[in-house]
Amino acid sequence: MASPGSGFWPFGAEEGSAAAETPGTARAWCQVAQKFTGGIGNKLCALLYGDAEKPVETGARAAAPGVAEPKPTCTCDKKPCGCQKADVNYAFLHSTDLLPTCNGEITTMSFLQDVVDILLQYVVKSFDRSTKVIDFHYPNELLQEYNWELADQPQTLEEILLNCRTTLKYAIKTGHPRYFNQLSTGLDMVGLAADWLTSAANTNMFTYEIAPVFVLLEYVTLRKMREMVGWPGGCGDGIFSPGGAISNMYAMLIARFKMFPEVKEKGMAAIPRLVAFTSEHSHFSVKKGAAALGIGTDSVILIRCDERGKMIPSDLERRIVEAKQKGFVPFLVSATAGTTVYGAFDPLIAIADICKKYKIWMHVDGAWGGGLLMSRKHKWKLNGIERANSVTWNPHKMMGVPLQCSALLVREEGLMQSCNQMHASYLFQQDKHYDLSYDTGDKALQCGRHVDVFKLWLMWRAKGTTGFEAQIDKCLELAEYLYNKIKNREGYEMVFDGKPQHTNVCFWYIPPSLRGMENSEERTSRLMKVAPVIKARMMEYGTTMVSYQPLGDKVNFFRMVISNPAATHQDIDFLIDEIERLGQDL
Amino acid sequence: MASPGSGFWPFGAEEGSAAAETPGTARAWCQVAQKFTGGIGNKLCALLYGDAEKPVETGARAAAPGVAEPKPTCTCDKKPCGCQKADVNYAFLHSTDLLPTCNGEITTMSFLQDVVDILLQYVVKSFDRSTKVIDFHYPNELLQEYNWELADQPQTLEEILLNCRTTLKYAIKTGHPRYFNQLSTGLDMVGLAADWLTSAANTNMFTYEIAPVFVLLEYVTLRKMREMVGWPGGCGDGIFSPGGAISNMYAMLIARFKMFPEVKEKGMAAIPRLVAFTSEHSHFSVKKGAAALGIGTDSVILIRCDERGKMIPSDLERRIVEAKQKGFVPFLVSATAGTTVYGAFDPLIAIADICKKYKIWMHVDGAWGGGLLMSRKHKWKLNGIERANSVTWNPHKMMGVPLQCSALLVREEGLMQSCNQMHASYLFQQDKHYDLSYDTGDKALQCGRHVDVFKLWLMWRAKGTTGFEAQIDKCLELAEYLYNKIKNREGYEMVFDGKPQHTNVCFWYIPPSLRGMENSEERTSRLMKVAPVIKARMMEYGTTMVSYQPLGDKVNFFRMVISNPAATHQDIDFLIDEIERLGQDL
């Protein structure tokens, strides 16, 4: 465990700013909760009152973290209640006592219910600002504090439940209202339910035969997404892939195949030298894809960006002409709708014009920005996306769908299938008794493919497009609130001027000791260390998490992003207070 | 809905062979169940008795499948009970009433609990032989029978619960003891619990920062798997990837990089023509990977197999020499441990000798067969795997881990990182306060990566290596039982001779009308249609599912595989009876 006396800890123990009011609140809740039957009230009561996690400790750390919490004791006055399952003694039971074991039903239901109780506690706590975002431990500490090893002999179900509790104890609460660390934050309750159902259904996407409903839902959902992109009637093709990097790689693969279909059989040796174009602020997966596909990272030409991180179309055209003069064949432009760091939207219309002029496949990486298509207020930022040949759009980012859920959309139908199919006769039998167009597996690079669609589909049903819109508009409003709050505040410098286009707000916090200091090597080298130290302290206190990074000649700055529907104005205020509290001595 | 009068239905309605005894059994269970408190007994009682799904109907189909089941009514005599949550009226609630909404705790817990109740019912029913494996509908029927469309406006939580029930109604019960359709079957209860926890934790694998426990568990688990492969001390590298096809592609990518590291920057244009070797029975993902990586499918040379589907080493050597003579550079041999159709194990020691002699990367695709490393009785079939440079091993197949869980193991440490890293500064900051060797994301082709390890880890803890061993040995024993049962039985022909090496048993069912008929074109063309028709009927009746396919010059045959821990000798008997019942008139 990190000692408070280590380099990162300039303060002694002090009273935390966060939620000392828990006990009172919990008691009030308990009274409300007791009105509910079916064990829910009691569970909630035990959670908030009987078994409440300690509030965030600032400076001091809880003792003996390696020792797991005991099973909560039932303190309910109504019996039987949801807390009471004393008849099933897990200390003498093993996984072999669960289904499919004969007569395993009761043990199974009891065990799964106990796991769910642990998860429900975790979920509810995730949204409680008085709990830590993370109970941080260094890797070596975590390895030592608990025995994670795999052995020959089985553990009891009691130990398995303890494993679950311990795992969650050290996990990040990614649904916590003050967790801002990644583009994917938040925990959607309908999405969670849908993911649980997906696990219970435990199937693969390759054929209609074994995933009838999910294949149809993928069809319905991809068509709807293509409609929102603006392709007439939602026509086209697509797939849910394991993340935006793979979706971008698919786009590159299909673009190459469209131009030189012989590459599938003959390889790169049979075709001219290809080049792809993307902005210097684009996601690294474009280069990663080029490396994997045998194109090579040198053949990815990085186009200059303006001060806001948007690709400069004139530079794109210049580099295309230059490449052609050198005898290379431009085959793909990957424009970005929502860059990772600045949240910038490339000028898609101008890029589409250039792609049309030079007959180049236009891909839009909207992994992060695609969500704005749900918002009538903000979708103009993606104007021109309807002219793209392919689009990456990750509902697991701005739309808050549980990880992972990334769609690649392709305008031309049938191309994915031609590009990737291998006609495996043991999967895609041609003499099946149903419409084989629903056997979509041969479109994919993967053979088995996880069901990623159901959580998005169910959330969409639950929220409607208008619900996603409201959620996204709120996050963008919060980003503007943050921008307005700090743009003229003492101790802050914005990395780029102007209102954020997405929810990315990039800024330096300048500690008092650096304020007024002239630009110099010393100032730069000291400023570089500010964000990492504040971030490390945030993690040690567990109060909040936000990302930082350098970019080009700019030293480490904070990149705040808001995709968490749980965040409020007060959480933004808290973040700023916390940065100042943790950074004032630097 | 398929009409019983259609071509596949030679019989009228008749009494089903399966489990007409349900009501009596359920009543007995109910009495046992009532001894348990905490709502479990009541839930189980309602499940088995009050809300029991109709037993399998053979010939006749249930009416009005589009109409969802009503919420089960509580029939318990003890109040309050787990069935009673009348205070939460979902007809007036929406997802906006759930967390993170202020005061959303009770509604959230109640909603998630109701979803879990639906799932628990589904799970318990999955193992009940009196229920259908699938309630099959043709794609168009399914699209028409329920409104799956996505709309602007939200649905109520009541409708969301209905969506869940409807989805499960039409889903395949992949845990059903008579579901044999794929290499991945079964539903492990600890694995399911672990997957539910993974969903609640909802994080990404790229850094220790946001997945501290899961990153460590990946480290521990991959090391253990490498130990079982036989690499000294479990040394080496690896990653959990989205499926065996991607794992195999990784192997090809890394092998290429090892031989020609400049390919990463310069692409295939800068290096000689590569060729890879794999057997004609190998998985299609080897070719798929070669197409994607710009190597081209023509550069994958298919090596001949013996009658049992094992690669012939002398043919491999001959083709390597031939390729070298043509000026190609052999860079990879992908041997298969457990082929998809025959379940054959390539002779790994002989192949390792050849790879050593010609300095070629040896990959073992043990996606299907890797599980046998857990068995002291069967692991000799993979002798020589310890000499491989990389290994694909899918715990979601033979080990029954929920989908998806595929590991790529690499003997040389650091190679994956060098091959794939792009140093994204916003993720892999070099000035973080912890040991950066745990930020494993840059090894991957993916950026975000789903947490696939936890379910394997928790199952391993729950079963121990010996538990996996017992499970696998049992499946192999069942395959041998099936083989012994049919090898001399009238109406059966084996596709290849001898005891199965894995759980694959490949056979033709010969209907009475074809028995004794001489080999002729007519017989072949009629035999070709037998398996598809029987399979279609199986799906219509919903009684069992098994795969079939043609292979080379062999017309459609059944490929039985057993990875489902729920299967018993009686289920094998049932399968044979069912094939004969459904195929006797053909």
Side-chain angles (χ1 to χ4, degrees):
Chain A
M1 203 162 87
S3 144
S6 79
F8 293 119
W9 298 92
F11 318 112
E14 59 164 33
E15 290 306 301
S17 57
E21 77 279 11
T22 311
T25 314
R27 234 172 252 117
W29 264 113
C30 243
Q31 288 167 2
V32 178
Q34 291 300 347
K35 293 180 194 154
F36 287 79
T37 54
I40 295 291
N42 292 325
K43 276 178 202 167
L44 194 66
C45 187
L47 159 69
L48 290 172
Y49 194 45
D51 183 41
E53 193 177 78
K54 287 206 181 84
V56 173
E57 296 156 88
T58 47
R61 300 286 290 268
V67 181
E69 305 132 53
K71 217 177 155 192
T73 314
C74 173
T75 54
C76 306
D77 47 10
K78 287 189 224 162
K79 310 277 175 184
C81 77
C83 305
Q84 197 192 40
K85 299 198 201 65
D87 293 81
V88 180
N89 188 342
Y90 296 116
F92 299 103
L93 293 172
H94 291 85
S95 65
T96 44
D97 296 300
L98 302 173
L99 287 170
T101 297
C102 194
N103 301 350
E105 289 85 352
I106 290 168
T107 313
T108 300
M109 291 184 83
S110 180
F111 168 72
L112 287 176
Q113 184 61 53
D114 274 359
V115 171
V116 167
D117 287 350
I118 292 169
L119 298 181
L120 291 181
Q121 284 204 11
Y122 178 78
V123 166
V124 172
K125 278 184 188 169
S126 286
F127 293 101
D128 177 356
R129 289 176 177 78
S130 74
T131 67
K132 287 184 175 188
V133 176
I134 180 173
D135 180 5
F136 181 78
H137 289 68
Y138 290 99
N140 285 341
E141 294 165 5
L142 208 48
L143 280 172
Q144 284 160 18
E145 277 173 15
Y146 194 74
N147 173 17
W148 308 98
E149 293 300 319
L150 298 167
D152 286 349
Q153 296 308 315
Q155 291 194 330
T156 64
L157 292 182
E158 185 171 81
E159 288 167 307
I160 292 304
L161 290 171
L162 178 61
N163 289 169
C164 290
R165 283 195 202 91
T166 307
T167 299
L168 290 175
K169 172 172 165 51
Y170 296 116
I172 299 261
K173 294 199 190 77
T174 54
H176 196 288
R178 292 171 183 166
Y179 175 74
F180 303 110
N181 208 63
Q182 309 294 141
L183 304 184
S184 299
T185 63
L187 185 60
D188 188 273
M189 293 300 104
V190 173
L192 178 63
D195 223 14
W196 286 357
L197 184 148
T198 302
S199 302
N202 192 36
T203 195
N204 236 324
M205 287 299 281
F206 34 58
T207 57
Y208 180 83
E209 182 174 328
I210 68 158
V213 189
F214 300 127
V215 163
L216 293 184
L217 296 185
E218 185 168 85
Y219 171 79
V220 165
T221 307
L222 288 172
R223 192 184 54 200
K224 183 76 179 175
M225 292 175 86
R226 289 189 301 261
E227 267 176 32
M228 307 209 64
V229 162
W231 293 337
C235 283
D237 215 329
I239 204 166
F240 283 92
S241 94
I246 302 290
S247 291
N248 286 342
M249 192 170 92
Y250 264 119
M252 202 175 272
L253 183 64
I254 297 164
R256 178 176 71 178
F257 176 78
K258 170 74 179 172
M259 194 175 269
F260 297 104
E262 63 270 34
V263 74
K264 183 176 177 180
E265 286 85 29
K266 307 282 174 207
M268 292 293 287
I271 68 170
R273 273 289 295 279
L274 303 179
V275 278
F277 303 85
T278 192
S279 90
E280 56 189 358
H281 279 228
S282 73
H283 192 258
F284 69 90
S285 56
V286 179
K287 283 201 162 195
K288 213 162 217 180
L293 303 189
I295 294 165
T297 55
D298 288 353
S299 296
V300 177
I301 296 177
L302 297 183
I303 306 302
R304 283 179 37 229
C305 290
D306 66 15
E307 200 268 338
R308 291 292 299 266
K310 294 165 183 285
M311 187 194 282
I312 299 172
S314 59
D315 194 52
L316 171 63
E317 184 158 16
R318 188 178 65 80
R319 301 300 297 272
I320 290 173
V321 171
E322 201 177 276
K324 285 168 78 86
Q325 281 165 352
K326 286 183 187 158
F328 300 143
V329 177
F331 80 110
L332 174 98
V333 174
S334 180
T336 312
T339 60
T340 313
V341 181
Y342 282 18
F345 290 81
D346 286 347
L348 301 183
I349 294 171
I351 293 170
D353 288 341
I354 295 170
C355 287
K356 190 180 171 192
K357 183 172 170 186
Y358 295 97
K359 295 190 175 58
I360 305 175
W361 183 283
M362 177 179 172
H363 174 64
V364 175
D365 176 1
W368 172 226
L372 271 59
L373 291 169
M374 309 297 272
S375 162
R376 282 164 290 189
K377 188 173 169 191
H378 295 287
K379 69 177 175 187
W380 63 270
K381 295 167 187 172
L382 295 106
N383 279 350
I385 196 171
E386 70 285 356
R387 293 175 63 189
N389 298 94
S390 57
V391 171
T392 293
W393 175 357
N394 287 9
H396 71 215
K397 292 197 164 84
M398 199 61 201
M399 289 162 71
V401 177
L403 292 156
Q404 72 195 167
C405 185
S406 168
L408 175 76
L409 309 173
V410 181
R411 195 165 55 187
E412 184 177 331
E413 212 177 331
L415 205 50
M416 294 194 77
Q417 183 84 10
S418 319
C419 178
N420 291 320
Q421 71 187 347
M422 292 291 153
H423 304 289
S425 61
Y426 67 90
L427 263 184
F428 310 114
Q429 302 91 335
Q430 296 304 301
D431 44 13
K432 286 182 190 171
H433 63 309
Y434 59 81
D435 178 356
L436 297 176
S437 69
Y438 291 97
D439 281 2
T440 55
D442 219 10
K443 278 186 200 179
L445 274 177
Q446 299 174 269
C447 173
R449 189 159 59 90
H450 189 258
V451 177
D452 290 337
V453 67
F454 187 66
K455 49 203 171 192
L456 169 58
W457 180 81
L458 198 67
M459 281 173 68
W460 208 322
R461 298 276 276 199
K463 291 175 198 289
T465 310
T466 55
F468 275 123
E469 178 181 48
Q471 185 173 315
I472 287 164
D473 285 354
K474 185 193 149 205
C475 288
L476 276 124
E477 191 275 315
L478 282 178
E480 200 168 324
Y481 173 79
L482 170 62
Y483 168 74
N484 287 326
K485 186 176 171 110
I486 61 173
K487 68 178 173 186
N488 296 317
R489 190 182 178 97
E490 197 190 349
Y492 291 82
E493 275 178 35
M494 304 309 293
V495 173
F496 56 84
D497 289 332
K499 261 184 14 180
Q501 284 239 304
H502 204 311
T503 69
N504 306 50
V505 181
C506 296
F507 61 90
W508 288 279
Y509 169 70
I510 318 288
S513 73
L514 295 184
R515 290 177 204 166
M517 192 187 279
E518 296 242 320
N519 243 336
S520 66
E521 239 175 67
E522 194 209 333
R523 184 180 187 271
T524 304
S525 98
R526 284 181 57 189
L527 184 57
M528 191 169 68
K529 290 176 192 129
V530 170
V533 173
I534 293 176
K535 170 67 178 280
R537 289 172 177 177
M538 281 175 177
M539 289 181 68
E540 303 263 357
Y541 284 113
T543 46
T544 183
M545 279 174 76
V546 58
S547 186
Y548 74 88
Q549 70 281 295
L551 189 78
D553 58 354
K554 296 180 166 73
V555 297
N556 284 319
F557 54 85
F558 285 112
R559 181 209 60 179
M560 176 66 177
V561 280
I562 304 159
S563 61
N564 193 334
T568 62
H569 293 95
Q570 288 73 35
D571 296 311
I572 304 296
D573 294 342
F574 178 84
L575 175 80
I576 293 303
D577 289 348
E578 194 66 357
I579 286 175
E580 294 174 3
R581 182 175 80 88
L582 299 173
Q584 62 181 359
D585 66 320
L586 296 175
Chain B
M1 203 163 88
S3 142
S6 79
F8 293 120
W9 298 93
F11 317 114
E14 61 165 34
E15 291 306 302
S17 56
E21 76 280 14
T22 311
T25 313
R27 235 173 251 117
W29 265 114
C30 242
Q31 287 167 2
V32 178
Q34 292 299 349
K35 293 181 196 155
F36 288 79
T37 54
I40 296 292
N42 291 324
K43 275 178 203 165
L44 195 66
C45 187
L47 160 67
L48 291 172
Y49 194 45
D51 183 41
E53 191 176 78
K54 290 205 179 81
V56 173
E57 297 156 89
T58 46
R61 299 287 290 269
V67 182
E69 306 133 52
K71 219 177 156 194
T73 314
C74 171
T75 53
C76 307
D77 48 8
K78 287 190 224 161
K79 309 279 176 182
C81 77
C83 305
Q84 197 192 43
K85 296 197 202 70
D87 294 80
V88 180
N89 187 341
Y90 296 116
F92 300 103
L93 292 171
H94 291 87
S95 65
T96 44
D97 296 301
L98 302 174
L99 286 170
T101 298
C102 193
N103 301 348
E105 288 84 353
I106 291 168
T107 313
T108 300
M109 291 184 80
S110 180
F111 168 73
L112 288 175
Q113 184 61 56
D114 274 359
V115 171
V116 166
D117 287 350
I118 293 169
L119 299 180
L120 291 181
Q121 284 204 10
Y122 179 80
V123 165
V124 172
K125 279 183 187 170
S126 287
F127 293 101
D128 178 356
R129 289 176 177 79
S130 73
T131 66
K132 288 184 173 187
V133 176
I134 180 175
D135 180 5
F136 181 77
H137 290 67
Y138 290 98
N140 285 340
E141 294 165 5
L142 208 48
L143 279 171
Q144 284 159 18
E145 275 172 16
Y146 193 74
N147 173 18
W148 308 97
E149 294 299 320
L150 298 166
D152 287 348
Q153 296 308 316
Q155 291 194 331
T156 64
L157 292 183
E158 186 172 80
E159 288 167 307
I160 292 304
L161 291 171
L162 178 61
N163 289 169
C164 291
R165 283 195 202 92
T166 307
T167 299
L168 290 174
K169 173 173 167 47
Y170 297 116
I172 298 262
K173 295 200 190 78
T174 55
H176 196 289
R178 292 171 183 167
Y179 176 74
F180 303 110
N181 209 62
Q182 310 293 142
L183 304 184
S184 299
T185 63
L187 184 60
D188 189 273
M189 293 300 106
V190 173
L192 179 63
D195 221 15
W196 286 357
L197 185 148
T198 302
S199 301
N202 192 35
T203 196
N204 236 325
M205 287 297 282
F206 34 58
T207 58
Y208 180 83
E209 182 174 329
I210 68 158
V213 189
F214 300 125
V215 163
L216 293 183
L217 296 185
E218 186 168 84
Y219 171 80
V220 166
T221 307
L222 288 172
R223 192 185 55 202
K224 183 78 180 175
M225 292 175 86
R226 289 189 301 260
E227 267 175 33
M228 306 209 65
V229 163
W231 293 335
C235 282
D237 215 329
I239 204 165
F240 283 92
S241 94
I246 303 288
S247 290
N248 286 343
M249 192 170 91
Y250 265 118
M252 203 175 272
L253 183 65
I254 297 163
R256 178 176 70 178
F257 176 79
K258 170 73 178 171
M259 193 174 268
F260 297 105
E262 64 271 33
V263 73
K264 184 176 177 180
E265 285 87 29
K266 307 284 174 207
M268 293 293 287
I271 68 170
R273 274 288 297 277
L274 303 179
V275 279
F277 304 84
T278 192
S279 91
E280 55 188 0
H281 278 228
S282 73
H283 192 258
F284 68 90
S285 56
V286 180
K287 283 201 160 193
K288 214 162 215 180
L293 302 188
I295 294 164
T297 53
D298 288 353
S299 297
V300 177
I301 295 176
L302 298 184
I303 306 303
R304 282 179 37 230
C305 290
D306 66 16
E307 201 267 338
R308 290 291 299 263
K310 296 166 181 283
M311 188 193 282
I312 300 172
S314 59
D315 193 54
L316 171 64
E317 183 158 17
R318 187 177 66 79
R319 300 300 296 271
I320 290 173
V321 171
E322 200 177 274
K324 287 167 77 86
Q325 281 166 350
K326 287 185 185 159
F328 300 143
V329 177
F331 80 108
L332 175 98
V333 173
S334 181
T336 312
T339 59
T340 312
V341 181
Y342 282 18
F345 290 82
D346 285 347
L348 301 183
I349 293 171
I351 292 170
D353 288 341
I354 295 171
C355 287
K356 190 180 171 194
K357 181 171 171 189
Y358 296 96
K359 297 191 174 57
I360 305 175
W361 184 282
M362 176 179 172
H363 174 64
V364 175
D365 177 1
W368 173 227
L372 271 59
L373 291 169
M374 309 298 272
S375 162
R376 282 165 288 190
K377 187 170 169 193
H378 296 287
K379 68 178 176 187
W380 63 269
K381 296 167 186 172
L382 294 106
N383 279 351
I385 195 171
E386 69 286 355
R387 294 175 61 190
N389 298 93
S390 56
V391 171
T392 293
W393 175 357
N394 289 7
H396 70 214
K397 292 196 164 84
M398 199 60 202
M399 289 161 71
V401 177
L403 293 157
Q404 82 194 148
C405 186
S406 168
L408 176 77
L409 309 172
V410 181
R411 193 165 57 189
E412 182 176 331
E413 212 176 333
L415 205 50
M416 292 195 79
Q417 183 84 10
S418 319
C419 177
N420 292 319
Q421 71 187 348
M422 293 288 153
H423 303 289
S425 61
Y426 68 90
L427 265 184
F428 310 113
Q429 302 92 336
Q430 296 305 300
D431 43 14
K432 285 181 190 172
H433 64 307
Y434 60 82
D435 178 353
L436 297 178
S437 69
Y438 291 96
D439 282 1
T440 54
D442 219 11
K443 277 185 199 177
L445 274 178
Q446 299 174 270
C447 174
R449 189 159 59 91
H450 189 259
V451 177
D452 291 336
V453 68
F454 187 66
K455 49 204 171 192
L456 170 58
W457 180 81
L458 197 68
M459 281 173 68
W460 207 322
R461 300 274 277 198
K463 292 175 197 289
T465 310
T466 55
F468 275 123
E469 178 181 47
Q471 184 174 317
I472 287 164
D473 285 354
K474 184 193 149 205
C475 288
L476 276 123
E477 190 275 315
L478 281 178
E480 202 168 324
Y481 172 79
L482 170 62
Y483 168 75
N484 287 328
K485 186 177 172 106
I486 61 174
K487 67 179 173 185
N488 297 318
R489 190 182 178 94
E490 196 190 350
Y492 291 82
E493 276 177 34
M494 304 309 292
V495 173
F496 56 84
D497 289 333
K499 260 187 10 182
Q501 283 241 305
H502 204 310
T503 69
N504 306 50
V505 181
C506 296
F507 60 91
W508 288 279
Y509 169 70
I510 318 288
S513 72
L514 295 184
R515 288 175 207 166
M517 193 186 282
E518 296 245 317
N519 242 336
S520 65
E521 237 173 71
E522 194 209 332
R523 185 181 187 270
T524 304
S525 96
R526 283 180 58 188
L527 184 57
M528 190 169 68
K529 290 177 193 130
V530 169
V533 173
I534 293 176
K535 170 67 178 280
R537 289 172 178 177
M538 281 175 176
M539 289 181 69
E540 303 263 356
Y541 284 113
T543 46
T544 183
M545 278 175 75
V546 59
S547 187
Y548 74 87
Q549 72 280 296
L551 189 79
D553 58 352
K554 297 182 166 70
V555 298
N556 285 318
F557 54 85
F558 285 112
R559 179 208 62 179
M560 176 67 176
V561 280
I562 305 160
S563 60
N564 194 336
T568 62
H569 293 94
Q570 289 72 35
D571 296 311
I572 304 295
D573 294 341
F574 178 85
L575 175 80
I576 293 302
D577 289 346
E578 194 67 356
I579 287 175
E580 294 174 2
R581 183 176 78 89
L582 299 174
Q584 63 181 359
D585 66 322
L586 295 176

